[in-house]
Amino acid sequence: MIGKLLLRICFGALLVSIHLHGYSQYYNQRPDYLKANSFWAFGTNAGLNFNSGVPTAFTSSVIGYEGFATVADPATGDLLFYTNGHQCWNATHQLMPNGSGLLGNVPLYGMTTTAQGAVVVPVIDSPGKYYLFSLPNSDAASFGLYYSVVDMALDNGNGDIDPTRKNILLDTDTLTEGMIAIPGNNCDIWLMVHAYMKPEFKAYRIHAGGVDPVPVISNTGGSFQESTFRPGYLGTMAISSDRNKIAITSYLGDHSYIAHCGVWLGDFDATTGQVSNAIKIIEQFAAFSAIFSPDNSKLYVNMAPLWEIYTDLYQYDVSVEDSATIANSRTFIATLDYANYLKLYNDTIYVSAFGKSHIHRINQPNNPAASCGFQTNAIALEFLTFSQMGLPSDNVFPLSDTFYTHTDTFFCSGSSGGLILNTLNDGNDFSWSTGATTRTISADQPGDYWVIYRNSCFTYVDTFSVTQITLFTQIDVSGYTLTATGGPFVQYQWYRDNERIDGATTDSFVVDDNGNYTVEVTDINGCSFMSAVYRVNNYSVGHYHAGSRMIRIYPNPAGDFIRVEHSDVLTVTLSDLQGRNLRTSNTGVEISLKGLSKGIYLLRIMDQQGQWIRTEKIIKQ
């Protein structure tokens, strides 16, 4: 009997500590995420390093208004490379040999200016390789979505764009300026974009097999179907920390379509990539950037009132899914510079400051607006470096987790080699409690066995509680009736001289000849045991003397009756070969065989004291 219990912790503190790094945390609060996003390169040569816990400014080589991505090592936090979607620099701040001429985020007036024009995600199952996605500028005469592959093994370990995988066109549609990556639930990542002038979210699935060129399309309907609505045009997207909510903004600096600007909020399914239940929560405002609070209860939005060029920072309560309630919860926080970008890192929200040598910060974003701790000019940048509109996009990778299984299993005593234990999933780096490093092992002793192994996303811990099943039976004898003891058993098979006796499959058997008898028993688990031999050597057919008198049995073979002649009164019982009683006579004179099929039967003879005398094989013709 085998039972499995998922997520059962069986190894005490060691495995408990592994499980704490699972989905119990939001993806953007995990140590590997914080390390991978610990460097920011943005604006005009600006840079911040968060590895010490306090953001430290440095000078980068990047130049652009917006649309940045910076990648650090998720294990060490070391800078790997950064990009503005049009060029790519290595950790020494040098342009990669093939790092220029990337399509997407095409410079406008010398500065890249696509709100979320660059997103980087890892090539799953290929350590050191990254997909670099680029969006074009909405005002440029370009379209589509492109990606290239950064290989950190190139250029002597400094990294470079793979020249054979550069500027690959993924989407020929005209898209808006919002683009984010979201960890999926199946060792995958969703790249989210939105069609221009159409109510369509597009989710491109990135998995171990590559980038799926066919997106999951969500037609969100409702207000997204307004013919002149431009969701995400000059705006951005944001995903909640629990990956259940997605927001998209629309911002037009000239306010040409101010009636169709605002913020839309929808449900996101991290398993399917689908967006549903979209509602319009803000309108008549040119909304540029939005971000969720770490606990997912608040939405911060940077937006401009009608005909104004400055922007205000607001907080909305999105804990209730009702557009009117959310709209009415709007609370003013501060007036900002112009088209400021909002970025969540750890438990803090950072706010760009257009053309300034500093950025702002919201220190307690889970709190109501009055106590959220907005701080202007919170972080100073290096001299002669400047923040512009954008901050780097989030680097995400497949979520890793530890899955626990517990299996109760057994092996039968006497089985050759014991039990073969096999891991329940594919993986590598197998480490068994026995010291073995193979996928399967043989267990020939009872006890607990465990194995730890992993694949590109998950760690597995399989536990096997192994028991040994030992059976025993012996043959009890009553006259010529043999009975198997012990049990319970679900199957019996009798043998004579190691030959199977057909039809002898009950716990008792009446012998019909001399020989060496054994019985094989089987229990509910399928384990079997063969008894010791019981030898029968006193069985005979024909005349038999009881005391000084002879017993005569005739005719044999018989027709409709069999007669037993003896001077004493006998009890005679006729049975079939399975031991079932068919006829009984207390006079011991004659037994009727009428109605019985042709075949072999057994005649058991007892004296007046009930003592067994003999058993005779009878053949009915």
Side-chain angles (χ1 to χ4, degrees):
M1 179 171 137
I2 300 176
K4 298 179 182 177
L5 176 62
L6 290 177
L7 303 179
R8 177 174 173 183
I9 300 175
C10 303
F11 303 110
L14 171 63
L15 297 187
V16 170
S17 66
I18 294 174
H19 185 67
L20 289 177
H21 296 290
Y23 289 163
S24 56
Q25 291 177 302
Y26 294 137
Y27 78 95
N28 53 10
Q29 296 174 0
R30 294 156 57 117
D32 47 4
Y33 171 90
L34 297 175
K35 288 289 187 182
N37 289 274
S38 59
F39 273 89
W40 298 3
F42 59 98
T44 304
N45 305 125
L48 290 172
N49 179 356
F50 287 80
N51 274 297
S52 68
V54 177
T56 303
F58 69 92
T59 300
S60 71
S61 297
V62 75
I63 295 179
Y65 286 117
E66 52 192 341
F68 311 106
T70 312
V71 180
D73 189 300
T76 65
D78 295 335
L79 177 63
L80 297 180
F81 64 93
Y82 53 92
T83 180
N84 59 7
H86 189 65
Q87 295 174 296
C88 194
W89 294 266
N90 61 30
T92 66
H93 309 294
Q94 301 299 309
L95 191 66
M96 290 181 176
N98 291 304
S100 60
L102 300 177
L103 299 178
N105 208 3
V106 178
L108 186 67
Y109 311 120
M111 299 274 276
T112 57
T113 179
T114 302
Q116 291 174 321
V119 168
V120 175
V121 301
V123 178
I124 301 173
D125 274 349
S126 296
K129 295 182 180 180
Y130 296 84
Y131 296 112
L132 193 166
F133 294 93
S134 293
L135 272 176
N137 184 281
S138 295
D139 290 333
S142 59
F143 58 87
L145 172 62
Y146 301 86
Y147 72 91
S148 303
V149 174
V150 178
D151 188 345
M152 293 306 300
L154 299 177
D155 192 27
N156 298 316
N158 289 316
D160 194 9
I161 304 292
D162 182 345
T164 66
R165 304 182 71 186
K166 184 175 180 180
N167 292 328
I168 300 170
L169 180 62
L170 181 61
D171 195 322
T172 60
D173 204 354
T174 302
L175 304 172
T176 63
E177 292 193 9
M179 177 172 63
I180 57 174
I182 306 171
N185 287 337
N186 297 298
C187 195
D188 52 9
I189 297 169
W190 296 104
L191 184 77
M192 301 297 298
V193 293
H194 197 283
Y196 177 69
M197 297 292 284
K198 288 190 294 186
E200 290 182 355
F201 279 96
K202 294 185 175 184
Y204 285 93
R205 183 170 178 255
I206 303 160
H207 52 94
V211 180
D212 193 334
V214 180
V216 174
I217 296 178
S218 302
N219 189 313
T220 43
S223 61
F224 279 73
Q225 292 180 327
E226 298 169 7
S227 60
T228 53
F229 170 53
R230 305 181 183 185
Y233 178 75
L234 299 181
T236 63
M237 291 187 201
I239 188 72
S240 59
S241 297
D242 59 10
R243 300 175 297 141
N244 291 332
K245 295 291 182 184
I246 190 169
I248 184 169
T249 68
S250 184
Y251 178 93
L252 291 100
D254 62 2
H255 301 86
S256 302
Y257 297 98
I258 191 67
H260 306 295
C261 292
V263 179
W264 285 256
L265 189 66
D267 294 334
F268 181 73
D269 188 328
T271 300
T272 65
Q274 288 282 348
V275 178
S276 59
N277 302 322
I279 57 174
K280 189 174 184 179
I281 62 172
I282 306 167
E283 57 185 346
Q284 298 290 331
F285 278 84
F288 174 65
S289 181
I291 200 73
F292 290 90
S293 62
D295 67 357
N296 310 297
S297 67
K298 311 292 190 302
L299 184 71
Y300 290 84
V301 182
N302 162 238
M303 56 190 182
L306 181 62
W307 305 117
E308 299 294 345
I309 61 171
Y310 65 87
T311 59
D312 289 334
L313 179 63
Y314 291 93
Q315 183 194 83
Y316 289 82
D317 186 343
V318 292
S319 60
V320 178
E321 295 187 28
D322 178 76
S323 57
T325 302
I326 294 173
N328 291 334
S329 72
R330 185 178 72 192
T331 307
F332 172 80
I333 296 175
T335 296
L336 302 175
D337 313 284
Y338 169 75
N340 303 74
Y341 192 90
L342 308 176
K343 178 177 173 65
L344 173 67
Y345 181 73
N346 205 346
D347 57 359
T348 305
I349 292 176
Y350 297 84
V351 185
S352 65
F354 184 70
K356 303 297 195 310
S357 59
H358 56 258
I359 62 174
H360 315 303
R361 184 167 60 193
I362 303 173
N363 294 300
Q364 291 89 36
N366 289 333
N367 291 350
S371 59
C372 71
F374 177 74
Q375 181 182 0
T376 59
N377 307 336
I379 301 172
L381 304 177
E382 276 288 321
F383 180 64
L384 294 181
T385 70
F386 303 95
S387 169
Q388 300 296 344
M389 290 182 288
L391 294 174
S393 61
D394 291 347
N395 303 315
V396 304
F397 29 85
L399 290 180
S400 61
D401 205 350
T402 301
F403 291 94
Y404 299 88
T405 62
H406 183 95
T407 301
D408 294 320
T409 187
F410 63 89
F411 67 92
C412 304
S413 179
S415 60
S416 177
L419 174 69
I420 300 299
L421 299 180
N422 189 14
T423 61
L424 303 181
N425 301 278
D426 293 328
N428 49 61
D429 298 331
F430 303 101
S431 179
W432 287 89
S433 54
T434 62
T437 56
T438 55
R439 179 169 183 177
T440 63
I441 65 168
S442 176
D444 57 3
Q445 295 294 324
D448 285 338
Y449 298 79
W450 53 262
V451 58
I452 300 176
Y453 57 104
R454 57 191 55 82
N455 60 22
S456 59
C457 290
F458 306 124
T459 298
Y460 300 97
V461 181
D462 298 342
T463 308
F464 302 88
S465 292
V466 178
T467 57
Q468 179 177 342
I469 296 177
T470 302
L471 303 185
F472 179 78
T473 188
Q474 65 182 18
I475 298 176
D476 282 358
V477 183
S478 176
Y480 281 103
T481 299
L482 310 181
T483 302
T485 64
F489 305 119
V490 297
Q491 185 174 323
Y492 301 84
Q493 179 61 58
W494 290 89
Y495 294 83
R496 181 176 53 241
D497 297 333
N498 296 321
E499 294 291 332
R500 181 190 298 268
I501 302 174
D502 291 340
T505 57
T506 63
D507 62 340
S508 295
F509 176 71
V510 180
V511 300
D512 56 4
D513 203 351
N514 291 320
N516 296 318
Y517 287 86
T518 54
V519 61
E520 183 180 32
V521 296
T522 305
D523 72 356
I524 193 173
N525 300 301
C527 292
S528 298
F529 179 79
M530 184 71 77
S531 72
V533 172
Y534 181 80
R535 179 169 178 75
V536 176
N537 58 11
N538 61 347
Y539 185 87
S540 64
V541 177
H543 295 84
Y544 178 78
H545 288 272
S548 60
R549 298 184 180 275
M550 183 178 67
I551 299 174
R552 183 167 177 256
I553 303 171
Y554 67 92
N556 191 13
D560 290 336
F561 68 92
I562 190 78
R563 182 175 293 277
V564 179
E565 289 186 357
H566 191 273
S567 59
D568 295 328
V569 177
L570 303 174
T571 298
V572 181
T573 302
L574 185 73
S575 63
D576 60 16
L577 294 180
Q578 284 71 46
R580 294 187 292 256
N581 291 340
L582 304 175
R583 304 280 193 274
T584 299
S585 173
N586 292 322
T587 64
V589 178
E590 187 175 281
I591 296 289
S592 173
L593 303 182
K594 290 182 179 181
L596 299 180
S597 302
K598 294 179 180 181
I600 298 175
Y601 297 87
L602 300 177
L603 193 68
R604 191 176 186 207
I605 303 172
M606 310 287 290
D607 63 18
Q608 291 177 335
Q609 288 73 41
Q611 297 297 314
W612 172 83
I613 296 176
R614 65 169 294 176
T615 300
E616 187 78 21
K617 180 166 65 176
I618 303 298
I619 300 174
K620 181 182 179 183
Q621 294 180 330

